[in-house]
Amino acid sequence: KAGVTQTPRYLIKTRGQQVTLSCSPISGHRSVSWYQQTPGQGLQFLFEYFSETQRNKGNFPGRFSGRQFSNSRSEMNVSTLELGDSALYLCASSLDGDTGELFFGEGSRLTVL
Amino acid sequence: QKEVEQNSGPLSVPEGAIASLNCTYSDRGSQSFFWYRQYSGKSPELIMSIYSNGDKEDGRFTAQLNKASQYVSLLIRDSQPSDSATYLCAVRGAGGTSYGKLTFGQGTILTVHP
């Protein structure tokens, strides 16, 4: 059974640019959550999608957005990148998002210069 | 006060010893508690979940929960060098606002030396 797949794994952007990250959940999983991980703040929740609907959102500015497609694949977008957006962005899938049993992808490491 | 706090590390134990990892949380309404392990350069993986007060054992791992004290712990018996990793305590609140959302502690770095 394939795990959670995230692309790209690494990317470098400059301030002001925008970036789109992609996540394919485990087959049959309908919930996709996104987390940001930094050395200073640890793992922080961004948002969760289920059946193409955002059901939950963390305390991040509106520059951070996401969506989910009918096949459960999800994308997140960060616009007007700032240096502080440099982080590991982790996607996690679960059957229905109603437990804390999440399966994480390997992450997309974003560096903003 | 942070929502989820873990004992400061790093924690170093000899091979074969018991490693004890602790976590406290602030939200009394929290319903579900998890321990994730994250190896260096890898993503977190779930190793234990606990929902009721008391102990839950899974192989060399025992999770303990005390909701009255708002305390969760993880014991690793017969620690092995392969257990060296960062251990993340995660808490899920109650209700619909918790879909997909876990609140994580900062993590405790565990090193098991031969």
Side-chain angles (χ1 to χ4, degrees):
Chain A
K1 189 173 181 181
V4 178
T5 303
Q6 291 189 244
T7 57
R9 292 290 313 279
Y10 304 91
L11 63 167
I12 300 173
K13 294 285 187 178
T14 57
R15 280 182 300 174
Q17 288 187 310
Q18 66 93 27
V19 65
T20 299
L21 310 177
S22 179
C23 172
S24 293
I26 292 171
S27 178
H29 284 193
R30 297 173 63 192
S31 168
V32 173
S33 303
W34 289 88
Y35 286 80
Q36 181 195 66
Q37 187 172 34
T38 60
Q41 298 297 318
L43 269 162
Q44 292 190 291
F45 173 74
L46 282 157
F47 28 65
E48 187 260 2
Y49 288 86
F50 179 84
S51 292
E52 303 178 66
T53 300
Q54 185 184 89
R55 294 193 300 186
N56 205 356
K57 190 177 190 305
N59 297 323
F60 279 82
R63 301 184 296 106
F64 292 81
S65 63
R67 59 178 176 169
Q68 186 181 36
F69 303 95
S70 58
N71 61 358
S72 295
R73 190 177 70 85
S74 177
E75 289 182 346
M76 69 162 283
N77 183 277
V78 188
S79 62
T80 319
L81 285 166
E82 300 177 358
L83 296 179
D85 297 333
S86 295
L88 180 66
Y89 290 88
L90 290 162
C91 167
S93 80
S94 69
L95 277 171
D96 57 12
D98 205 21
T99 74
E101 298 184 6
L102 305 180
F103 296 84
F104 285 89
E106 289 299 314
S108 293
R109 183 165 295 281
L110 170 65
T111 301
V112 182
L113 302 176
Chain B
Q1 181 192 6
K2 291 185 178 179
E3 294 181 62
V4 179
E5 292 201 55
Q6 296 186 235
N7 52 325
S8 59
L11 177 64
S12 181
V13 300
E15 184 174 356
I18 296 175
S20 177
L21 305 164
N22 304 315
C23 172
T24 57
Y25 59 95
S26 60
D27 182 3
R28 283 196 171 274
S30 298
Q31 297 291 310
S32 313
F33 308 87
F34 307 88
W35 285 97
Y36 282 78
R37 177 177 62 198
Q38 187 172 24
Y39 290 115
S40 180
K42 300 294 186 181
S43 59
E45 59 176 332
L46 178 66
I47 55 172
M48 289 287 286
S49 59
I50 187 165
Y51 305 96
S52 304
N53 281 330
D55 295 359
K56 179 182 178 182
E57 187 174 316
D58 184 0
R60 296 185 296 110
F61 297 92
T62 299
Q64 300 173 317
L65 173 61
N66 183 327
K67 290 185 180 179
S69 300
Q70 296 173 244
Y71 176 87
V72 192
S73 68
L74 179 70
L75 299 178
I76 306 174
R77 292 183 301 281
D78 188 23
S79 294
Q80 300 297 310
S82 59
D83 294 326
S84 298
T86 298
Y87 288 81
L88 298 161
C89 174
V91 176
R92 183 174 187 270
T97 59
S98 296
Y99 287 124
K101 177 183 179 181
L102 292 180
T103 301
F104 285 86
Q106 284 290 95
T108 299
I109 298 172
L110 171 66
T111 301
V112 181
H113 52 87

